[in-house]
């Protein structure tokens, strides 16, 4: 335990009569039930002439590792070490959590092993509905891309990886109905990274390079809009 932590725990509160009580005696107990997204920090480095801290985070359940630049505002609150966790909350608030604290407080949510589920992990009885929603998302996105002068194939002409990506995106939002639009991008990027995709200035399916392989807040506004549109369509479809 650090000296700073010890000092905080041992703070005493003085009453009007001069009596003292331990700070713990005036605090209530709370239990956390919130769901968060998190990734383990594999390494931490400080690069020359760069104020941000350079991290390498691991995608849970895979051997894939991705770079992440932690802002000075973020590291001012806590400087992480390898083994700690980068945590994303529902309101897009990001923080670090020490390894022991995080692992004692959270259990990893595993996708249900549905009987009769296909290779995408979606029960066969729901596959038709999920696919229909995915097609709707794809075609609305295609129309939006056309306005941006970006070419996208129709659902019928789309390659299988693109269809699977849309279906997985729909399944993600069905399983996580309160997830923000940024989570849609995070899920998409993690799936792409697992498949071997990386950042590139121009989208190139043969080289597996994509300009959107960056954190959500680094995306241009018109690209962020795609995730807002996608998540909104799914939410309206399952609520309607």
């Amino acid at each position: 335990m650090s000296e700073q932590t010890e000092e905080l725990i041992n703070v005493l509160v003085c009453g009007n009569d001069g009596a003292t009580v331990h700070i713990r005696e005036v605090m209530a107990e709370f239990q956390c039930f919130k769901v968060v997204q998190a990734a383990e920090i594999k390494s931490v480095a400080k690069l020359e002439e760069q104020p941000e801290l350079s991290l390498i985070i691991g995608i849970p359940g895979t051997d894939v590792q991705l770079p992440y630049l932690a802002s000075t505002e973020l590291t001012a609150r806590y400087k992480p070490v390898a083994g700690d966790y980068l945590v994303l909350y529902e309101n897009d608030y990001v923080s670090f959590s020490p390894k022991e604290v995080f692992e004692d407080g959270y259990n990893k949510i595993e996708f249900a092993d549905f009987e009769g589920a296909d290779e995408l992990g979606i029960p066969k009885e729901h596959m038709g509905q999920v696919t229909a929603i995915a097609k709707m998302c794809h075609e609305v996105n295609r129309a939006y891309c056309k306005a941006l002068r970006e070419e996208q194939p129709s659902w019928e002409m789309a390659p299988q990886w693109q269809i699977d990506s849309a279906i997985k995106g729909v399944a993600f939002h069905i399983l996580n109905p309160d997830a923000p639009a940024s989570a849609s991008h995070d899920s998409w990027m993690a799936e792409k990274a697992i498949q071997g995709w990386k950042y590139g200035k121009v989208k190139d399916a043969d080289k597996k390079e994509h300009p959107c392989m960056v954190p959500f807040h680094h995306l241009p506004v018109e690209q962020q809009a795609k995730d807002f549109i996608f998540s909104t369509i799914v939410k309206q479809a399952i609520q309607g």
Side-chain angles (χ1 to χ4, degrees):
M1 183 181 297
S2 69
E3 292 182 5
Q4 183 181 13
T5 304
E6 186 74 31
E7 179 183 353
L8 290 172
I9 290 176
N10 291 327
V11 168
L12 299 179
V13 179
C14 297
N16 293 332
D17 58 357
T20 59
V21 287
H22 194 283
I23 189 66
R24 185 179 289 109
E25 300 300 322
V26 296
M27 290 181 170
E29 291 186 335
F30 295 84
Q31 186 170 358
C32 178
F33 296 99
K34 67 178 59 177
V35 176
V36 301
Q37 293 177 274
E40 184 180 354
I41 299 170
K42 298 297 185 180
S43 67
V44 180
K46 184 70 174 68
L47 304 180
E48 293 183 7
E49 300 180 358
Q50 180 176 285
E52 297 91 351
L53 205 59
S54 179
L55 311 178
I56 299 295
I57 61 173
I59 297 178
T62 76
D63 295 326
V64 178
Q65 298 184 0
L66 296 173
Y68 180 87
L69 288 179
S71 67
T72 53
E73 179 183 357
L74 183 58
T75 55
R77 301 195 295 266
Y78 174 79
K79 287 188 170 52
V81 297
D84 288 344
Y85 285 82
L86 179 68
V87 186
L88 175 67
Y89 296 85
E90 289 183 354
N91 61 354
D92 278 359
Y93 178 78
V94 179
S95 71
F96 297 117
S97 179
K99 177 181 176 67
E100 184 176 349
V101 172
F102 184 84
E103 294 181 349
D104 284 347
Y106 289 94
N107 292 316
K108 185 173 180 289
I109 299 175
E110 301 290 350
F111 285 101
D113 184 15
F114 294 109
E115 184 178 353
D118 71 351
E119 64 273 12
L120 298 178
I122 300 170
K124 290 181 179 179
E125 63 268 26
H126 298 312
M127 193 62 184
Q129 182 183 11
V130 172
T131 301
I133 298 172
K135 179 179 179 180
M136 187 189 310
C137 291
H138 177 87
E139 291 300 336
V140 171
N141 180 70
R142 185 163 76 100
Y144 177 68
C145 287
K146 188 174 182 179
L148 298 178
R149 297 187 179 180
E150 297 177 5
E151 291 297 326
Q152 286 286 352
S154 66
W155 178 260
E156 289 74 18
M157 298 300 294
Q160 192 60 46
W161 64 263
Q162 194 169 28
I163 291 174
D164 289 347
S165 178
I167 290 173
K168 287 182 178 181
V170 171
F172 172 82
H173 280 289
I174 290 175
L175 292 171
N176 303 275
D178 296 323
S182 60
S184 179
H185 174 73
D186 295 338
S187 176
W188 171 86
M189 189 167 71
E191 183 67 28
K192 284 289 188 184
I194 292 172
Q195 296 170 0
W197 286 70
K198 59 184 182 296
Y199 172 79
K201 291 184 178 180
V202 179
K203 181 179 176 180
D204 189 321
D206 293 330
K207 295 181 179 179
K208 291 191 173 182
E209 293 181 347
H210 203 296
C212 292
M213 288 291 288
V214 296
F216 183 78
H217 60 278
H218 287 173
L219 289 173
V221 174
E222 61 270 17
Q223 296 300 327
Q224 291 185 6
K226 294 179 181 180
D227 293 298
F228 282 100
I229 293 169
F230 190 100
S231 61
T232 299
I233 292 173
V234 178
K235 289 176 183 178
Q236 289 301 313
I238 62 178
Q239 289 174 2

